[in-house]
Amino acid sequence: MDERKLIRMNYAVLDLETTGHGTGDEMIQVGLVLLDEQMTVTRTYSTFVKPTIPIPPFITQLTGIDETMVQDAPELEEVLLELIPLLDDAVLVAHNVSFDAGFLNAALDRSGYMPFDGRRLDTIDLLRILYPTLTTYQLGAVTELFGIEHESHHRADSDALATAELFAECYRKLEGMPLLTLQRLAGLLGDEIDDLGWFIGLVAQRKELVTSIDMDAYHYFRQFAMKAGDWTEEEHPRTDEDNQSVANWTFPQFLAHIKAEISAIIPGYEEREPQNMMFQEVIDALDEERHLLIEAGTGTGKSLGYLIPALYYGVQHNKKIVVSTHTINLQEQLRARDLPLLAAVMPYPFKAAIFKGRGNYLCLRKFEGKVNMRDFTSPAEDRITASQMVVWLSESQHGDQEELNFGNRGADFWGAVASDADSCLNRSCPWFKRCYYHRAKQEANIADVVITNHSMLFTDIRADHRLLPGYEHLILDEAHHMEEVAGKHLGTQVSYYSVQHPVLRLCKDARNGQLIHLKSRLASENIEKTQKWREEIDEVVPVFGDLRDEWDRLFEMLYSMMGTGNGNASKSTALDSGGSESGQYVLRLRGGKLPAAWSDAQLVEEAINGYLSQIVRPLDKVFTAIKDEMDDPGIAALVTDLSGTIKDLARARDDLRQFMKADKSDTVYWMEGNSNSRAKSVQLYSVPADVSSQLRTYFFEVKKSVILTSATLSVQKSFQYACEQLGLTADEREGKLKTVQLPSPFNYREQALVIIPRNFPVLKGASGDPLFNEMLVKSLTETAIETKGRMLVLFTSYRMLKQVYDPLKEALTAYSIQVLGQGIDSSNRSKLTRRFTQQDASVLLGTSSFWEGVDIPGDALTTLAIVRLPFQPPNHPLVEAKSELLQEQNQNPFMKLSIPQAVIRFKQGFGRLVRTGNDRGIVLIYDTRIIDTYYGKYFLYSLPGPKIETMHQDQIVPRIREWLAKGEEGIQEVTP
C-alpha cells in the first residue's frame, strides 16, 4: 500500500448493546466513532434501536437500558441505512470485534443487505500484544488504568468513545516502538489474526520513511530490540569509599536516618511500636547468631521490619542475607513496593536481587528458534503469545514470566521457551551474555540481599547448593508454609503428563516432533556418520508408540483402583488448584496392604521402564556423538533441547519406579484423580510424613541465624506447634531460638465485631445439609442487603459454595448486588478480587485460596463470613500418616495436629478483614462448634482481641446496623 492510501485511512469504532448473545437476539443501542489516520475523531453516531423482543432484566441491570428508553427509538432498518455509509471503506474496530462484527452482519443479512467484509481490528488483541503486562482487558478496567474518561460502562455511545481513545493509545504506542519490533510483529502475525499483521505493517512502512534506529533506547541483538543489555557488565553496588562510610553507622543512627527519610517521602507516616520491636528483634537475632520465630500481624509492616535490619547487618558485615517468601506474589510486592522505597531512603547504596526458579525466566535461544521457525502448536494463539513476548523484550529488564499476562494457551508456549538446566548451552550459547537466568544469578551473586521463594530453597538443596549463592543468614516470610513446601520438594510427584508431554515434544508421530526434525536436519549434512545416527533414531521411533500404549494402560489401571469403591479409595474433600472437589478420589497406598491389582500394575511399570530405557540410553549416546562431532550451532541447540527432554523422561522413569515400590516406611504414598479427566487426572505422590529432621539438617543446624516470620505462627499464644513441625524444639530448649509475638498495631476491640449466630444447626457433612444451607443463604442475604454487599464469604467446600451460589444470587439480584463465585465466575483469584473491588455492591464466595493472601483494604470489604472452621479432611493420606505418627508417640492427633492447623488457617481467614488502621468490619462465624465445643476456645483465644458476641440469627442485622452507625459517629467525631 502506498503512502497516499495510508493517509486516507478511516477507522470506524463500533460498539453494540444487545438483548443477549444468542442468534435470536437483537440490537438495542449502537455507538460509532469515526477516526481519521491521525486518530482524530471526525464524527460520532449513536442511537437506541427498537427491538422486536423484550429486553431481559439482566441486560437492563447491566446496561441501564429498559423498555421505556427504546419504545420510541428507530427500528433496525432505519438505523442500518444510516450506519452502512459510515462503515463504507473504513476499517472496523471494536473491543472484541468478532462479537460486534458478527452481530452487525447477522442484522444486515436479516434486513437483506450485503455483509460488512472490510478489514477489522480487535482492541483486545492489540492490548494483549502491545501491553503484555496488563492483567485485565475488560473495557472499564482498562480505561480506568489508562485514565480515559468512561462515564457509562455497558452503554454503546460511551463504550465506543472509550474504545476509540483506547485504539488511539495503541496506535501511539505502535508509533513509538522500534522499527525492528514492528517488523517482527508484522511478520509474526501475518494474515492469521484478523488484520493485525496488515495494520502493524502499515505503521512499520510509515516508520521506515521517517525513522533511524535509536541506539540509546534499546539494545539490538540478532534482530531483536531489547531493553536488557549485557549482564556481565553488572557491577557491585558500592565503591571502596562507600564501604568506608558504611562502618560509621550504628544501628540506632541508621534506623533514625531511615525513619526521617521515610517521613519526608510519605505524608502522615507514623512510627508503629510493633515494627520498632521487630527491627530490634531481627537485628539482635542476626548479631547474636540465633534463630527467631516472630509472629507479626497485619499492619505491622513486617517486610520493612526484616529488610531494614537485614540490609544494615548484611552490608556492615559483608554477609549475604537470603529472604524467602512462600508466594511469588510477595516477591513481586517486595520488588515493586518495598525495595524502591528503601533505595530512596538508605544512607548508602545497596543491591537487592530477586531470584526465582529457572523456569520463570525466558530462554532467548529457544524463543528465537520458535519465532524464526514459526514452530507454533496453536497457530493463532501462539502467534499472539510470541508477539506479546517480542514487545516485552523491548520493555523487560528481567525476562521473568510473572511480568506477562498470557492468554489461554500461553502457558503451553512458555513451557517450550522457558529456561532449564538440561537444555542450557551456557557459554556456548550466542545469547549467554544476555541470558535472563544468568543475569538473575549474577545479580544474586553481587547482591546484599537475595529475595527468593521457599520452593527455590529446596530446589537449591536438591541441586547440591549450585543455584543460590552461599549464605548463612536466612529470613523466611510466610513461614507457616515452610513445612508443607518441604514435604512437596523432598518427595516426588508423577502425573500422566510427566511422560506424555516430553514424548509429544520428542516424537508426536512419524512426521512430527523434535526428533523427526533433527533427523531431517542431519539428512542435509555431509558428515559420514549422519546416516548411522539417522538409522539409530529410526530404531528408537517405534518404541514411542509402545511406550504411549503402556503408559495409557498403567494410568487406566491406577484410576480404576481409585474408583472401584473397594474400601481403599475415598471421596476426597481436599480442594485441588481449580477448587473442584466433585468426583475427586484419593487412595493411600500402605506397604503390605497394596490393592489386589497392584502386582498387575507393577508388571506394566516394568514394561514402561524398559521402553523408557530403550529410548533414553541410545538417544543419549547419539546426542553426545553429534555434539562432539558437529559444529553447526543450529543442530547443537536442537540436540541440547532434545537432551533436556530425554533427562525429563529419565527422571519420570526413576520417580515412577520409586513410587510403584511404595516401600519406605517414613514416606506417605497416595494417588489422586477425578471423574472428569479420569486416567489423565491421576497424580502420584510420595512425601515424607515428618520433615522436621530434614529442616534441621538443611537449615537450623547449619545456618548461623534463621528468622521465621508470619502473621500466623502461634496457636492460643503458644509457638509449640510451629516448633514441633519445623524441628525447632531442641533449639528452643537450648536457648538457640527466641519466640516473639508482636502486639497488633490495630485496635481490634473498636475495629472488628465477631458475631456467632447461636441458633444455627450443627453442620453435617462436607457440603452441609438443606436446612443449614437455607438458613445460611437467608442470613447472608439479609446481611448483604444491610451492608450493600462488600462481603467476602469463606467456604471449606467447593460443593457447598456451588449450592449456596444460585439461591444467593437470585435473592440479591433485586437489590442490584452482584454475587461472584470462585470456580463459577472465574477461577482466577486476582480477577475475582478486582471485579469485587470495582463494583461496590458485591458478595464474593471463595474457597481454599481466598483464606489467605487476599488484600482488600478500605470500604470494599465490610463483612467477612466464615461458614465453617477450616479443619483439614482427616482422611487425607498425609494428615492420616501424621496422625498415626502422633498416636505411636501416645499423643492426641486432634489436639496436636488438627486443631493447630485449623486455628492457623482460621487466623489467616480472619486477617482478610482488617488491613489498615482505618478499616472496620464484621466477622460472621456460622460454625457453632466455636461456642459449643471444648476446643472452640482455641480459635477464639487465638484472635487478636476483637469484640465477640453471640446472638439469635434475627438479631444480627440490627446489631450490625447499630455497630456500623456507631463507627460512623466515631469517624465524624474525629474529623476536624
Side-chain angles (χ1 to χ4, degrees):
M1 184 168 289
D2 64 26
E3 181 69 5
R4 285 166 305 175
K5 179 68 174 169
L6 189 64
I7 286 171
R8 289 200 302 273
M9 191 65 60
N10 291 313
Y11 300 94
V13 185
L14 178 69
D15 189 85
L16 304 176
E17 300 304 335
T18 64
T19 57
H21 292 183
T23 48
D25 281 301
E26 297 183 19
M27 292 182 202
I28 52 175
Q29 191 186 21
V30 174
L32 188 75
V33 176
L34 294 182
L35 299 171
D36 63 16
E37 73 291 335
Q38 302 298 329
M39 297 293 126
T40 305
V41 176
T42 57
R43 174 153 183 203
T44 61
Y45 168 80
S46 69
T47 179
F48 287 114
V49 185
K50 186 174 186 177
T52 62
I53 56 173
I55 300 173
F58 79 94
I59 291 292
T60 298
Q61 189 184 342
L62 181 73
T63 63
I65 302 171
D66 59 28
E67 298 289 353
T68 60
M69 298 163 80
V70 295
Q71 64 186 16
D72 297 324
E75 292 183 353
L76 180 66
E77 272 304 304
E78 201 179 321
V79 171
L80 290 177
L81 276 172
E82 293 186 309
L83 204 54
I84 290 166
L86 298 175
L87 295 173
D88 187 42
D89 201 28
V91 177
L92 185 69
V93 181
H95 203 68
N96 187 7
V97 75
S98 59
F99 171 77
D100 294 278
F103 215 95
L104 172 69
N105 279 341
L108 288 166
D109 183 54
R110 279 201 303 272
S111 302
Y113 294 110
M114 293 292 288
F116 174 84
D117 60 357
R119 293 196 181 274
R120 54 179 73 174
L121 295 170
D122 194 333
T123 45
I124 292 179
D125 285 340
L126 270 171
L127 285 169
R128 284 177 69 186
I129 291 166
L130 301 184
Y131 299 92
T133 60
L134 272 185
T135 55
T136 175
Y137 306 113
Q138 196 260 334
L139 185 61
V142 177
T143 49
E144 192 180 316
L145 280 169
F146 281 55
I148 292 170
E149 201 171 307
H150 186 191
E151 289 173 5
S152 310
H153 296 195
H154 302 294
R155 290 291 280 270
D157 48 355
S158 179
D159 283 358
L161 272 168
T163 304
E165 286 196 52
L166 205 52
F167 179 60
E169 283 284 341
C170 290
Y171 184 77
R172 284 190 283 273
K173 171 141 192 195
L174 277 168
E175 282 191 314
M177 286 166 74
L179 177 60
L180 199 54
T181 300
L182 292 174
Q183 290 166 333
R184 277 271 183 198
L185 291 177
L188 257 176
L189 294 164
D191 298 323
E192 298 282 328
I193 298 132
D194 290 324
D195 292 297
L196 273 179
W198 161 83
F199 176 62
I200 293 171
L202 286 186
V203 182
Q205 281 179 32
R206 172 174 286 179
K207 200 168 183 81
E208 281 169 12
L209 302 174
V210 297
T211 193
S212 61
I213 290 177
D214 181 357
M215 294 304 293
D216 295 330
Y218 303 96
H219 298 273
Y220 294 90
F221 189 70
R222 295 175 74 90
Q223 298 300 297
F224 287 93
M226 302 174 66
K227 181 177 182 181
D230 185 335
W231 62 259
T232 59
E233 294 169 6
E234 292 272 339
E235 291 179 356
H236 194 277
R238 285 177 302 283
T239 62
D240 291 341
E241 196 177 316
D242 289 327
N243 285 329
Q244 284 168 2
S245 74
V246 164
N248 298 330
W249 291 87
T250 65
F251 186 63
Q253 289 170 338
F254 175 81
L255 206 49
H257 170 87
I258 282 185
K259 287 177 184 175
E261 292 292 314
I262 290 176
S263 58
I265 293 174
I266 301 173
Y269 167 76
E270 289 178 6
E271 284 192 38
R272 284 168 276 188
E273 188 49 35
Q275 190 182 53
N276 285 335
M277 293 166 71
M278 188 166 183
F279 291 143
Q280 198 57 50
E281 292 292 352
V282 173
I283 197 70
D284 288 349
L286 292 168
D287 275 336
E288 294 163 24
E289 295 190 349
R290 56 173 165 73
H291 306 319
L292 173 67
L293 262 177
I294 183 163
E295 184 173 83
T298 310
T300 304
K302 88 178 137 63
S303 303
L304 291 181
Y306 58 69
L307 281 173
I308 288 171
L311 280 167
Y312 175 80
Y313 180 87
V315 173
Q316 284 277 333
H317 296 86
N318 196 24
K319 298 285 187 187
K320 197 174 295 293
I321 312 277
V322 171
V323 173
S324 177
T325 69
H326 173 55
T327 56
I328 283 180
N329 250 4
L330 182 52
Q331 266 185 298
E332 289 304 314
Q333 184 183 302
L334 295 175
R335 188 205 301 265
R337 189 188 69 188
D338 299 300
L339 293 175
L341 174 63
L342 287 173
V345 300
M346 283 280 283
Y348 44 72
F350 74 94
K351 185 166 185 65
I354 307 284
F355 193 41
K356 301 180 183 177
R358 189 160 190 161
N360 287 284
Y361 301 99
L362 175 69
C363 171
L364 287 157
R365 177 185 63 76
K366 287 187 192 174
F367 180 65
E368 179 190 29
K370 270 266 187 203
V371 168
N372 289 350
M373 296 289 297
R374 301 286 191 272
D375 177 15
F376 301 132
T377 312
S378 311
E381 193 63 37
D382 283 1
R383 283 171 194 273
I384 285 194
T385 306
S387 299
Q388 283 185 299
M389 291 166 75
V390 166
V391 173
W392 175 61
L393 289 182
S394 68
E395 298 173 347
S396 175
Q397 195 68 39
H398 308 291
D400 177 352
Q401 70 154 331
E402 197 66 21
E403 299 168 353
L404 283 166
N405 182 31
F406 289 128
N408 307 331
R409 303 294 300 274
D412 292 343
F413 185 87
W414 178 267
V417 295
S419 176
D420 73 282
D422 293 333
S423 66
C424 183
L425 294 174
N426 288 305
R427 293 186 180 277
S428 309
C429 179
W431 288 96
F432 180 68
K433 288 187 176 182
R434 285 167 176 78
C435 173
Y436 292 117
Y437 170 73
H438 283 101
R439 169 186 301 281
K441 199 168 179 183
Q442 167 69 357
E443 286 177 347
N445 284 332
I446 61 173
D448 300 297
V449 169
V450 178
I451 296 167
T452 187
N453 52 64
H454 301 346
S455 290
M456 188 65 186
L457 292 179
F458 291 100
T459 307
D460 181 53
I461 287 164
R462 294 187 77 160
D464 297 324
H465 306 286
R466 290 193 308 270
L467 307 179
L468 289 168
Y471 64 97
E472 294 175 319
H473 304 83
L474 173 64
I475 297 172
L476 295 166
D477 198 345
E478 302 176 301
H480 61 286
H481 283 292
M482 191 63 178
E483 187 232 2
E484 167 205 344
V485 176
K488 207 174 280 180
H489 283 268
L490 297 171
T492 59
Q493 181 180 346
V494 180
S495 76
Y496 175 78
Y497 296 103
S498 298
V499 161
Q500 185 75 355
H501 280 158
V503 163
L504 283 175
R505 283 204 300 277
L506 283 166
C507 181
K508 190 174 183 183
D509 51 45
R511 285 178 297 183
N512 296 293
Q514 292 175 317
L515 209 49
I516 312 304
H517 181 45
L518 173 64
K519 215 180 94 176
S520 65
R521 287 288 297 268
L522 291 173
S524 58
E525 298 294 326
N526 290 324
I527 295 177
E528 187 185 323
K529 293 185 180 174
T530 52
Q531 184 55 35
K532 176 174 171 284
W533 293 333
R534 293 179 78 232
E535 286 167 7
E536 286 170 334
I537 290 170
D538 279 337
E539 283 175 28
V540 171
V541 166
V543 183
F544 283 100
D546 297 330
L547 170 64
R548 271 196 291 264
D549 292 343
E550 290 300 291
W551 188 255
D552 284 344
R553 191 171 154 218
L554 174 66
F555 275 76
E556 288 289 350
M557 290 172 82
L558 296 175
Y559 176 74
S560 68
M561 285 182 212
M562 286 191 285
T564 52
N566 58 6
N568 287 315
S570 60
K571 280 282 182 90
S572 166
T573 49
L575 297 174
D576 66 11
S577 57
S580 170
E581 129 195 287
S582 171
Q584 185 87 2
Y585 295 107
V586 173
L587 172 61
R588 183 177 171 195
L589 305 166
R590 300 165 185 264
K593 296 182 188 172
L594 294 166
W598 196 254
S599 53
D600 296 337
Q602 284 177 317
L603 289 173
V604 178
E605 186 274 331
E606 284 281 351
I608 287 169
N609 197 287
Y611 289 136
L612 282 167
S613 295
Q614 286 175 48
I615 290 168
V616 171
R617 284 183 198 137
L619 288 181
D620 217 15
K621 280 173 68 178
V622 170
F623 298 156
T624 304
I626 293 173
K627 277 191 243 180
D628 289 346
E629 300 191 35
M630 291 194 68
D631 295 328
D632 184 310
I635 288 180
L638 181 55
V639 168
T640 302
D641 291 344
L642 282 159
S643 295
T645 310
I646 285 293
K647 283 178 182 160
D648 290 342
L649 283 179
R651 262 193 297 273
R653 175 194 64 191
D654 299 342
D655 287 347
L656 179 65
R657 169 58 51 96
Q658 289 302 317
F659 180 84
M660 294 302 290
K661 283 182 181 173
D663 59 355
K664 290 184 181 170
S665 59
D666 60 352
T667 300
V668 192
Y669 300 91
W670 78 92
M671 304 192 292
E672 290 183 14
N674 65 64
S675 54
N676 297 330
S677 306
R678 300 182 64 80
K680 291 181 180 177
S681 72
V682 173
Q683 304 263 358
L684 316 177
Y685 296 91
S686 59
V687 172
D690 179 6
V691 293
S692 59
S693 59
Q694 285 106 313
L695 290 174
R696 285 198 59 68
T697 304
Y698 295 131
F699 299 108
F700 306 120
E701 287 177 354
V702 293
K703 303 300 176 195
K704 287 183 175 172
S705 177
V706 180
I707 292 156
L708 303 98
T709 186
S710 160
T712 53
L713 285 172
S714 69
V715 176
Q716 211 184 359
K717 315 290 187 277
S718 163
F719 288 91
Q720 183 186 352
Y721 173 72
C723 287
E724 287 171 356
Q725 296 298 304
L726 297 167
L728 280 162
T729 310
D731 286 315
E732 187 177 27
R733 209 169 39 240
E734 293 157 15
K736 171 86 174 151
L737 168 74
K738 184 176 180 185
T739 61
V740 178
Q741 186 176 24
L742 297 175
S744 172
F746 301 147
N747 181 353
Y748 276 99
R749 190 93 187 138
E750 295 299 320
Q751 289 183 254
L753 170 65
V754 174
I755 296 176
I756 303 154
R758 59 172 173 258
N759 64 317
F760 252 64
V762 175
L763 184 52
K764 296 187 181 82
S767 54
D769 53 60
L771 173 62
F772 183 93
N773 289 356
E774 187 183 322
M775 288 179 69
L776 178 65
V777 169
K778 181 175 184 291
S779 181
L780 292 174
T781 301
E782 291 167 353
T783 307
I785 292 165
E786 179 62 34
T787 61
K788 300 180 179 60
R790 301 186 296 186
M791 177 192 284
L792 171 63
V793 188
L794 295 177
F795 292 83
T796 56
S797 154
Y798 179 65
R799 194 179 307 154
M800 190 176 180
L801 184 155
K802 283 202 296 186
Q803 288 173 358
V804 167
Y805 178 87
D806 285 328
L808 186 64
K809 193 179 182 87
E810 192 179 328
L812 291 176
T813 297
Y815 297 90
S816 299
I817 297 172
Q818 75 167 345
V819 175
L820 299 167
Q822 183 184 2
I824 301 170
D825 295 287
S826 171
S827 294
N828 184 304
R829 190 176 73 172
S830 303
K831 281 183 183 172
L832 281 171
T833 308
R834 194 183 315 108
R835 282 179 65 184
F836 176 73
T837 51
Q838 277 170 354
Q839 187 171 325
D840 289 345
S842 298
V843 175
L844 174 53
L845 314 182
T847 59
S848 50
S849 63
F850 275 89
W851 282 78
E852 63 177 290
V854 175
D855 194 3
I856 311 172
D859 293 339
L861 184 63
T862 298
T863 312
L864 173 74
I866 293 175
V867 174
R868 196 170 199 195
L869 296 177
F871 284 102
Q872 278 201 340
N875 61 341
H876 188 280
L878 202 49
V879 178
E880 255 182 11
K882 285 173 182 289
S883 299
E884 287 162 10
L885 277 177
L886 287 165
Q887 282 168 335
E888 285 167 18
Q889 298 159 14
N890 294 320
Q891 299 194 62
N892 181 338
F894 186 66
M895 296 304 296
K896 297 290 288 184
L897 181 70
S898 301
I899 284 185
Q901 282 181 338
V903 166
I904 283 171
R905 192 87 167 136
F906 177 74
K907 285 170 68 177
Q908 283 286 344
F910 179 86
R912 298 314 96 213
L913 185 70
V914 177
R915 308 298 295 170
T916 73
N918 298 320
D919 289 351
R920 285 185 95 248
I922 296 105
V923 180
L924 291 167
I925 302 171
Y926 289 102
D927 192 334
T928 53
R929 290 178 297 177
I930 205 163
I931 50 173
D932 292 341
T933 63
Y934 71 93
Y935 57 79
K937 63 186 177 191
Y938 293 106
F939 292 88
L940 292 177
Y941 290 173
S942 290
L943 293 178
K947 195 169 178 54
I948 298 171
E949 298 178 6
T950 66
M951 62 192 66
H952 194 277
Q953 181 184 339
D954 296 342
Q955 298 170 292
I956 292 175
V957 170
R959 180 67 183 109
I960 287 174
R961 188 179 303 141
E962 176 194 8
W963 193 79
L964 289 175
K966 183 186 169 198
E968 283 169 16
E969 284 165 23
I971 291 165
Q972 285 161 7
E973 283 165 22
V974 297
T975 305

